[in-house]
Amino acid sequence: MTQALHFATAYLPQGWASNVRVTIAGGRITQVETDSAPRPGDERHAIALPGLANLHSHAFQRGMAGLAERRGQSDDSFWTWREVMYRFVERMGPDDLAAIAALAYSEMLETGFTRVGEFHYVHRDTTGEPYADPAAMSAAIAQAAGETGIALTLLPVFYAHGGFGSQPATAGQRRFLHDLDSFAVLRDNAGRALAHLPDAVLGLAPHSLRAASPEQLTGLVAMAGTAPIHIHIAEQVREVEDCLAWSGARPVEWLFSNAPVDHRWCLVHATHMTPAETRLLAQSGAVAGLCPITEANLGDGVFPAPGYAGGAWGIGSDSNVLIDASEELRLYEYGQRLTHRGRNLLAAAPGASTGAALFTGALAGGARALGAPSGIAVGNSADIVTLNCDHPALLARSGDALIDGWIFAAGRTAIDCVWRHGTKLVTQGRHHAREAITRRYRATLTGLLE
Ligand code: NGQ
Ligand code: ZN
C-alpha cells in the first residue's frame, strides 16, 4: 500500500525544506519531493522531524520509577539505588516484563523516540535457573516492541562477575549470569525472537568492566562481528577508583588499551574521563551514550562535553525514571550551562541554534549506535514525528527555532503524531494502544508491588 504525507515544513538530511511530500510503501520512504503542492489523498501536517533513537534503555526499571526517591538510613548513592533496583526485579517474570516494557515503549514513541536500544540483562528465572527458553525474557522485550511498534535494537547483556578482577556475583545478580557458551545460545535464541519485527537489529553488550573479564570481553567482541557493541563505563567515581586499583588504568583508558574500540561501539555514560580519554573517545568513531536524566537522578556527574568536539554522541533514557526525548536533550545542555556558567554551549557555531545541534547530534549518534539509519530520506523506514504548530511555544517560529521551541520551551507537549515504519502509532501525543497497555501495566504493578 502506498501512502503520502505532506508537510508544510520538514527537517530533511540537507536541512529544512518547505512543502515536503513523502511517499511511503511497505513501511519505507520511496520518494521525498520538496516545494511540492499537496495532492488529493495526502495526509497533511505542518512540521515534521525524523524520529530519534533512544540508545540506552532498561525497560523494566520503568516500573520502579519514583520509588527510590526517599532518603535511606545511610548516605544514598548509585549503589543504594542499585540495591532497590535488584529487589524490584526479583519477582518479575516474562509477562510482567512485557507489560512494563510496553508502557515504557509507548511513552518513548509519544515523546518522539522511534527506535530503542534495549540493554537487556535479566535473563534467568527468579531462582537463577535458565527459563525453558533461555531467551524468554528477551522474547518479552521483542513482544513489547511488536505490540507498541517501536523499532528495536536488542542488546543482550553478558554479565558474569560482581566486580573488577572477576569477583563472584552477588545473590541480587543471579538472574543476569552467563558464561560465553550459554550467552551464545541466549543470543541466537534472542535473535530468533526478533524475526517478526521490521528492521530489528541484534547487537550485544558486556554489561561493564566489572561484570566481564578481559578474556570474556575479547570473546564478546569476536561474537559481535559488525554488530553494535554497548558497554556501561566510567559512570561513577567509585568505578574509576576500583578500576585503577585493579589494573592501574582508568576504565576508558583500559578499554582503549585492551579492545578495538571503533564506530561499532557505544560507551554508555563515559562520564568520568580525563581530557586525554575524552580525546581518544572523540577520535575513535565510537558513540558516547549520554543519559542525562538518569545521570542526574543517580548522581553520576556531568559529561565532559567541552573536550569532546567532533565526537559522536546520542541520548538514552536508561533507568526510564522519566521518558522524554526533548528533556534528555535539554538537560544535556543545561548540565553544561550549570557547570561552566555559560549559555548555548553545545551549539555548533556562532549564531547557530543549540536545539538543532542537539537534535542532529543525537539523530546521527543514535543511528550509529543502534545500527540503523535515521532521517527522512529515500530507502529509510518512515519514522516521522510531527510537532503541533498551534503549541504556544512554537507559534510564529520557523526552521531551527521550531526545534529550540520544542526542546527548551515545550517538551513532550509539543509532539503531535508519530509514524514508525509507515504506521501512524501516536496521535495528539497519545499512543493508539495506550489505554490497553496502561490497564495491563496497572495489573502487573499491583501484583509486583503488593
Ligand atoms: C544497570 N544502571 O545495569 O541497570 C545499571 C546499574 C550497575 C545504570 N548504570 C547496575 N544506570 O551498573 O551495576
Ligand atoms: Zn544502563
Side-chain angles (χ1 to χ4, degrees):
M1 192 191 86
T2 301
Q3 56 173 325
L5 305 176
H6 187 277
F7 307 111
T9 180
Y11 195 62
L12 304 181
Q14 61 272 26
W16 286 99
S18 301
N19 282 308
V20 177
R21 195 164 179 273
V22 176
T23 310
I24 301 166
R28 299 200 170 272
I29 297 172
T30 53
Q31 196 178 16
V32 180
E33 300 160 273
T34 58
D35 302 313
S36 172
R39 291 178 216 162
D42 290 1
E43 180 173 341
R44 296 175 63 175
H45 293 270
I47 309 159
L49 299 171
L52 275 176
N54 176 2
L55 57 63
H56 188 71
S57 158
H58 309 289
F60 78 87
Q61 292 174 11
R62 182 61 182 148
M64 60 171 282
L67 290 176
E69 308 302 330
R70 189 179 280 267
R71 198 178 181 94
Q73 296 308 317
S74 57
D75 283 353
D76 276 37
S77 68
F78 174 88
W79 307 100
T80 56
W81 168 86
R82 194 174 76 156
E83 290 305 321
V84 176
M85 185 267 281
Y86 285 175
R87 279 200 299 281
F88 176 71
V89 79
E90 283 216 304
R91 293 168 50 205
M92 189 180 297
D95 292 344
D96 303 322
L97 177 59
I100 296 172
L103 182 83
Y105 295 167
S106 63
E107 293 182 295
M108 289 173 196
L109 284 159
E110 288 174 349
T111 81
F113 286 127
T114 49
R115 175 175 290 271
V116 61
E118 182 64 29
F119 194 105
H120 172 62
Y121 60 88
V122 185
H123 303 303
R124 292 170 169 269
D125 74 12
T126 55
T127 68
E129 292 299 315
Y131 284 102
D133 167 9
M137 294 291 268
S138 304
I141 294 291
Q143 184 193 323
E147 189 182 340
T148 57
I150 201 166
L152 177 63
T153 294
L154 184 64
L155 302 153
V157 174
F158 177 86
Y159 204 118
H161 303 291
F164 287 101
S166 301
Q167 291 169 41
T170 64
Q173 295 161 344
R174 68 184 177 279
R175 303 192 64 187
F176 316 158
L177 305 177
H178 281 285
D179 58 29
L180 284 180
D181 290 338
S182 67
F183 181 75
V185 173
L186 166 85
R187 185 162 177 267
D188 284 349
N189 287 17
R192 278 196 285 283
L194 302 181
H196 65 286
L197 298 174
D199 50 40
V201 174
L202 181 68
L204 61 71
H207 178 275
S208 54
L209 296 178
R210 289 173 271 129
S213 71
E215 298 71 33
Q216 288 166 334
L217 191 63
T218 303
L220 293 166
V221 171
M223 200 185 292
T226 58
I229 306 173
H230 289 219
I231 187 168
H232 287 132
I233 197 152
E235 180 180 9
Q236 284 277 321
V237 170
R238 193 176 106 188
E239 179 192 335
V240 177
E241 292 167 353
D242 290 353
C243 189
L244 276 165
W246 164 66
S247 70
R250 303 165 57 83
V252 172
E253 179 188 12
W254 189 93
L255 189 70
F256 273 92
S257 307
N258 291 279
V261 181
D262 58 19
H263 65 279
R264 289 170 301 168
W265 287 70
C266 177
L267 274 59
V268 180
H269 308 301
T271 308
H272 300 288
M273 297 192 289
T274 62
E277 288 176 304
T278 311
R279 262 195 312 279
L280 265 180
L281 181 52
Q283 289 163 4
S284 69
V287 178
L290 311 181
C291 308
I293 294 175
T294 296
E295 288 157 7
N297 183 268
L298 297 180
D300 291 337
V302 174
F303 183 72
Y308 197 62
W313 62 274
I315 47 164
S317 65
D318 194 351
S319 69
N320 294 313
V321 64
L322 186 109
I323 296 174
D324 188 336
S326 60
E327 192 151 341
E328 296 288 359
L329 295 171
R330 186 190 327 136
L331 192 54
Y332 178 30
E333 166 73 20
Y334 280 0
Q336 302 299 318
R337 292 190 190 186
L338 289 164
T339 304
H340 304 292
R341 298 181 203 152
R343 299 191 74 252
N344 296 311
L345 294 171
L346 296 171
S353 150
T354 300
L358 291 166
F359 186 77
T360 50
L363 188 70
R368 182 182 299 182
L370 297 192
S374 64
I376 301 175
V378 170
N380 286 354
S381 246
D383 301 346
I384 299 172
V385 176
T386 57
L387 300 179
N388 171 9
C389 61
D390 293 327
H391 193 292
L394 303 187
L395 290 178
R397 268 86 162 167
S398 65
D400 290 347
L402 292 168
I403 303 185
D404 288 327
W406 169 45
I407 294 176
F408 291 102
R412 63 175 294 173
T413 61
I415 303 284
D416 186 8
C417 301
V418 179
W419 289 258
R420 158 58 206 150
H421 199 60
T423 302
K424 194 178 189 180
L425 299 171
V426 172
T427 303
Q428 292 186 341
R430 198 165 168 85
H431 192 281
H432 297 173
R434 184 71 133 87
E435 215 172 285
I437 288 169
T438 305
R439 204 177 315 122
R440 186 155 55 107
Y441 176 79
R442 182 181 301 129
T444 297
L445 267 221
T446 309
L448 284 174
L449 295 178
E450 73 190 1

